[in-house]
Amino acid sequence: MSFKHLPLLGTAELIGALKLNPKQTAAAANLAHRVTHNAWRRRPSHKGGQTYDEFAATVSDCAWLTMFEVGALLALGRRQEALLLTEASRSVHQVTHPGPPR
C-alpha cells in the first residue's frame, strides 16, 4: 500500500469517517493507484514522455480522494454507494465512459 500521492489529511479523514481497518485502507489506496496507473498507461501521446510519478503528481487531490473513497466503499461492501459516487464524479467532471450505453 502506498500513500505517496494521496493527500494525507483528506485520506486520514476518510479513514476515520468510514472507520476503515488496515486491510480496507490498503485496498482503497491500492484501488486509487491502480486507476491512476491505468490512466497513465492510456495517456495521450503528447504526454508520452511522462513517468508514472510525474503523471500521478498532476492528478488533483480531489480526484485522489474520490478514488480512495470509492475503493473504501467497495472494501466495506457498499458497492451501490461506490457506483453512485463514481457516476457523480463522472457527471461533475464530464468524463465520457467508453462502453455500452446504460
Side-chain angles (χ1 to χ4, degrees):
M1 158 182 59
S2 171
F3 286 96
K4 182 175 182 176
H5 299 287
L6 287 165
L8 293 181
L9 184 59
T11 302
E13 289 176 5
L14 284 170
I15 292 168
L18 296 172
K19 298 179 176 86
L20 300 177
N21 66 37
K23 186 176 179 179
Q24 294 163 332
T25 300
N30 288 335
L31 179 115
H33 283 284
R34 279 196 322 270
V35 169
T36 304
H37 193 267
N38 285 340
W40 172 71
R41 284 189 340 206
R42 296 176 180 172
R43 68 196 178 282
S45 59
H46 72 278
K47 292 185 177 185
Q50 283 183 320
T51 66
Y52 170 74
D53 283 331
E54 291 170 334
F55 179 84
T58 67
V59 175
S60 71
D61 286 355
C62 178
W64 277 111
L65 290 173
T66 300
M67 291 184 288
F68 182 84
E69 186 171 2
V70 167
L73 290 170
L74 290 171
L76 291 168
R78 294 162 58 178
R79 185 175 184 274
Q80 188 61 36
E81 290 173 76
L83 291 173
L84 288 172
L85 179 57
T86 301
E87 288 301 315
S89 180
R90 284 186 181 136
S91 295
V92 167
H93 297 289
Q94 299 178 356
V95 174
T96 58
H97 178 60
R102 298 176 197 195

